[in-house]
Amino acid sequence: MTTFPPGFLWGAATSSYQIEGAAAEDGRLPSIWDTFCATPGKVDNGDTGAVAADHYHRYREDVGLMTELGLGAYRFSIAWPRVQPLGSGAVNQRGLDFYRRLVDTLLEQDIEPWPTLYHWDLPQPLEDAGGWPERDTALRFAEYAAIVHEALADRVSHWTTLNEPWCSAYLGYATGRHAPGRREPAAAVRAAHHLLLGHGLAVQAMPEARVGITLNLTHVTPASTAEQDLDAARRIDGMQNRFFLDPVLTAAYPDDVVEDLAPITGFDHVQEGDLKTVAAPIDFLGVNYYSPMLVGHGTTPSPSAYVGSEHVRQHDGGRQRTSIGWEIDARGLLDLLLRLERDYPAIPLYITENGAAFEDEVHDVARVAYLDGHVRACAEAAAHGVPLKGYFAWSLLDNFEWSYGYAQRFGIVHVDYATQRRTLKDSARWYADVIRRGGL
Ligand code: FCB
């Protein structure tokens, strides 16, 4: 039997725009994702999050599913455009009330609420004013964080500021694959800094809360020992991992990455004292892991998310892939966790997302295999002394998978979008069993 440390937290995760629907209800106004979805050609099949899994109306039923699975915690995100529809100024109590109801329903079931304050749904007026490349957005975010914290502090103990700032910055502003769909590499670097600054300011705005940040990290391997390939791996590890880990945990940007970026942008948007703010002490680090990266020197389709390293090419690692095309490698998760423990010791870690997209099947053998392998990697990491405290499966429900729309299904619970009927997949039953037994 594979065992986990006592108190290990088992959860599942979702995010607001991907499941809530009710896009124009109770005072919610558009976010950058509403605008992006309404732009022809941006999202597969013209899908939008307007209805999604209708969780806004069905949250009680969904909490019922969580109870059935035995979840210890539920990670969800709060929609800024519900709480502060213009991104600044007036607070919309009806928006906050939804999260009050959700949190109370969770607590009644002994499920710990794990809110994330920002999972990509920036209020459109803030993008109209320049978005994350503008410093003011970081200040607005801290103000919003304080509003939500004040409303829920008596009921929520663990808070996450941002989900995957790498995606917000580099997919949102460099490749344009995500909202707001801009292709401005230098702006993307500024966006990354202002996201980090917003994180630090938000931590400071939530005194006495236990706060963390969720990063999408990966294990990077060079395609060969040739110098150019080693350099490619250093660059991608720099942009994907260290560019976020170092400021948050050590109050500095990695010098080599700053140098790689020099042809694109200087760092004069970083003001004195910013890095001290970014590194405001946090209580845990959330890690989202899906797939490893094998990289070498070559050419990449333009525009690249790896600003300043456009000559790096991702190689085929020859492994099986999920339906979204991501290679499956649980060993990469173990290597990543061991590396985090080595390079950034002592910070408690939670896997805040891990999961797989597969075809539309309730008997999802492949998803069970994926989750099984990755949960085993977690157990092994913990056995090696990695301070891993919990695991959240992505995702509780099939949902709106960003630019892929509804075609890619990550849920352990199936959603029939025509009827909104929920059905537990085999992976959900498997997961309930893992939770009940406290391991594999
Ligand atoms: C992560 C996102 C999450 C989901 C998964 C598949 O990058 O945080 O919303 O889309 O990927």
Side-chain angles (χ1 to χ4, degrees), residues 202-226:
V203 172
Q204 293 174 343
M206 298 191 286
E208 284 156 48
R210 272 179 279 175
V211 189
I213 182 171
T214 280
L215 302 177
N216 52 320
L217 304 175
T218 189
H219 181 66
V220 185
T221 316
S224 79
T225 52

Side-chain angles (χ1 to χ4, degrees), residues 15 18 119-120 163-164 167 288 290 326 353 394 401-402 410:
S15 88
Q18 293 180 278
H119 199 127
W120 308 352
N163 177 70
E164 303 189 353
C167 292
N288 291 357
Y290 289 92
W326 301 349
E353 283 181 29
W394 181 273
E401 179 46 37
W402 309 112
F410 275 89

Side-chain angles (χ1 to χ4, degrees), residues 160-347:
T160 298
T161 54
L162 305 176
N163 177 70
E164 303 189 353
W166 180 88
C167 292
S168 300
Y170 294 106
L171 303 183
Y173 294 93
T175 68
R177 273 288 278 170
H178 279 187
R182 285 163 58 182
R183 290 184 171 184
E184 301 163 36
V189 180
R190 290 201 304 279
H193 179 69
H194 296 138
L195 282 150
L196 288 168
L197 180 64
H199 153 78
L201 291 168
V203 172
Q204 293 174 343
M206 298 191 286
E208 284 156 48
R210 272 179 279 175
V211 189
I213 182 171
T214 280
L215 302 177
N216 52 320
L217 304 175
T218 189
H219 181 66
V220 185
T221 316
S224 79
T225 52
E227 207 176 303
Q228 285 184 321
D229 289 346
L230 295 175
D231 188 63
R234 176 195 63 74
R235 284 168 172 269
I236 301 308
D237 178 58
M239 284 294 280
Q240 184 79 51
N241 299 324
R242 291 180 289 117
F243 192 81
F244 295 90
L245 288 164
D246 285 14
V248 168
L249 298 172
T250 74
Y253 279 113
D255 290 338
D256 61 319
V257 182
V258 172
E259 218 175 283
D260 294 342
L261 286 167
I264 307 287
T265 178
F267 271 65
D268 51 7
H269 54 278
V270 179
Q271 296 183 8
E272 212 185 314
D274 279 6
L275 282 158
K276 194 161 174 263
T277 305
V278 172
I282 54 172
D283 302 280
F284 62 92
L285 176 70
V287 177
N288 291 357
Y289 173 85
Y290 289 92
S291 198
M293 281 180 85
L294 180 67
V295 300
H297 188 82
T299 47
T300 203
S302 174
S304 168
Y306 298 100
V307 169
S309 293
E310 286 79 5
H311 60 278
V312 172
R313 184 166 81 82
Q314 198 169 344
H315 286 243
D316 183 346
R319 298 187 184 85
Q320 261 185 303
R321 291 173 186 264
T322 64
S323 68
I324 206 168
W326 301 349
E327 283 191 48
I328 303 171
D329 182 22
R331 173 75 213 197
L333 174 57
L334 175 60
D335 289 337
L336 168 63
L337 290 171
L338 294 173
R339 183 270 178 100
L340 289 173
E341 155 66 1
R342 191 184 65 230
D343 293 352
Y344 307 91
I347 180 92

Side-chain angles (χ1 to χ4, degrees), residues 106-146:
L106 289 165
L107 291 174
E108 279 161 22
Q109 298 296 316
D110 270 332
I111 300 169
E112 195 186 335
W114 267 68
T116 296
L117 289 164
Y118 185 72
H119 199 127
W120 308 352
D121 38 6
L122 185 73
Q124 183 61 41
L126 293 185
E127 176 56 29
D128 296 340
W132 286 109
E134 290 300 319
R135 188 178 178 91
D136 187 58
T137 306
L139 311 185
R140 299 286 69 77
F141 177 67
E143 184 184 284
Y144 152 74

Side-chain angles (χ1 to χ4, degrees), residues 145-157:
I147 292 164
V148 180
H149 179 250
E150 198 189 302
L152 297 175
D154 56 338
R155 288 166 269 196
V156 168
S157 60

